[in-house]
Amino acid sequence: MFKDKDFIYIDYVARIKDTGEIFDTTIEEEAKKANIYDNEKIYKPKLVILGEGAVIKGLEDALYQMNVGEEKEIEIPPEKAYGERDPNKVKTMSLGELRKQGIRPYPNMMLRMSNGSIAVVKSVTGGRVILDYNHPLAGRTLVYRVKVVKVAETELDKVKALIERYFGSSNIDKFGVEVGSDKKDVKITVPKEFYLVEDLQSRIYITARDIITYVLPEANVSFIETYNKSTFS
């Protein structure tokens, strides 16, 4: 049984109950079998920090009741997944307005609107476009086959898990990480290949925020960049 702020890694296969369609998985072989394989995606166990709310409520609620190595099938109703469908979220827009934005809509096309919302094109007829702003899985009961693969136990493991989350699994070994014996200081050495990354400061900020929020609330978190002649050679 787990508690808030536990760092657990899960593998899962997620499907829509009434159709059996698999729409998401962390397992490469399952993705290929379901014809949803994405060669730009890294298939590996997913980090879930309990209480963070980064996965749907029904899945997170079930994970609290599991143990390391346990596998189970979980049925999740719409109210604990992506909500019920709301007919008020189906809107009509003129085809001309979308074309002014350089968009040539077609049925089932997914659009990111100027306000940041996501809509799916339901139909294009007579100069009108029907847009559905409901989540594509709204109103659906979902079934997850999920396994708790491992748990990050120590503060050092948790800090590394957050660095991996925000800087990528292929880069984790390039960072130096030290957690003081009194757990009041965390020092992270940034590899020089990240010095010119455009969003470096944003990544540093959210990593430090999450370390303080979920791992060591009293710690001072330092990211160290060291410059010398070799940096510029």
Side-chain angles (χ1 to χ4, degrees):
M1 302 269 286
F2 298 111
K3 61 185 186 304
D4 279 352
K5 299 186 180 181
D6 279 347
F7 283 46
I8 67 175
Y9 289 83
I10 62 171
D11 267 330
Y12 63 82
V13 178
R15 59 185 171 86
I16 300 169
K17 182 183 178 182
D18 58 355
T19 66
E21 176 190 354
I22 293 174
F23 64 88
D24 191 19
T25 182
T26 57
I27 304 167
E28 184 173 343
E29 181 182 349
E30 295 289 347
K32 289 178 177 177
K33 282 164 50 177
N35 294 316
I36 61 168
Y37 177 73
D38 181 352
N39 59 15
E40 295 186 1
K41 178 177 176 178
I42 297 174
Y43 289 88
K44 63 177 184 176
K46 178 182 179 66
L47 170 65
V48 176
I49 304 173
L50 292 176
E52 185 182 25
V55 297
I56 59 175
K57 180 172 173 51
L59 176 58
E60 187 171 49
D61 287 349
L63 291 174
Y64 279 97
Q65 309 304 316
M66 295 181 67
N67 297 295
V68 180
E70 183 178 358
E71 183 173 4
K72 66 166 60 172
E73 189 164 279
I74 304 160
E75 185 172 307
I76 303 172
E79 61 269 21
K80 289 192 173 184
Y82 295 97
E84 298 288 356
R85 282 190 56 78
D86 181 354
N88 293 320
K89 290 184 177 180
V90 179
K91 308 288 186 182
T92 301
M93 190 172 188
S94 76
L95 177 59
E97 182 61 33
L98 286 174
R99 284 185 170 169
K100 285 179 185 176
Q101 300 175 38
I103 300 170
R104 296 191 173 276
Y106 54 84
N108 298 318
M109 181 182 187
M110 189 171 290
L111 301 178
R112 181 176 292 277
M113 310 307 288
S114 57
N115 62 2
S117 61
I118 302 294
V120 175
V121 177
K122 303 305 290 184
S123 66
V124 182
T125 53
R128 298 190 310 164
V129 181
I130 306 298
L131 299 176
D132 188 350
Y133 288 86
N134 285 285
H135 190 282
L137 295 172
R140 299 297 190 100
T141 296
L142 309 179
V143 178
Y144 277 73
R145 189 177 81 243
V146 59
K147 181 177 182 179
V148 179
V149 177
K150 64 178 181 176
V151 177
E153 298 280 5
T154 68
E155 285 85 0
L156 179 60
D157 286 341
K158 292 176 182 180
V159 171
K160 287 183 175 181
L162 290 171
I163 294 171
E164 182 178 4
R165 172 187 273 188
Y166 295 119
F167 290 91
S169 57
S170 62
N171 297 306
I172 182 61
D173 292 334
K174 300 175 185 177
F175 285 77
V177 184
E178 296 178 36
V179 177
S181 57
D182 61 358
K183 301 180 182 178
K184 291 293 181 67
D185 290 289
V186 177
K187 295 181 180 179
I188 300 168
T189 303
V190 180
K192 67 178 184 180
E193 54 260 49
F194 274 89
Y195 290 178
L196 294 177
V197 171
E198 184 176 353
D199 62 348
L200 176 60
Q201 291 307 312
S202 297
R203 296 198 209 187
I204 285 174
Y205 178 88
I206 58 177
T207 304
R209 178 201 64 193
D210 284 1
I211 291 170
I212 292 167
T213 301
Y214 298 111
V215 187
L216 293 166
E218 304 302 322
N220 294 307
V221 180
S222 303
F223 282 79
I224 301 166
E225 298 174 44
T226 302
Y227 295 84
N228 51 41
K229 186 165 64 175
S230 68
T231 307
F232 307 102
S233 60

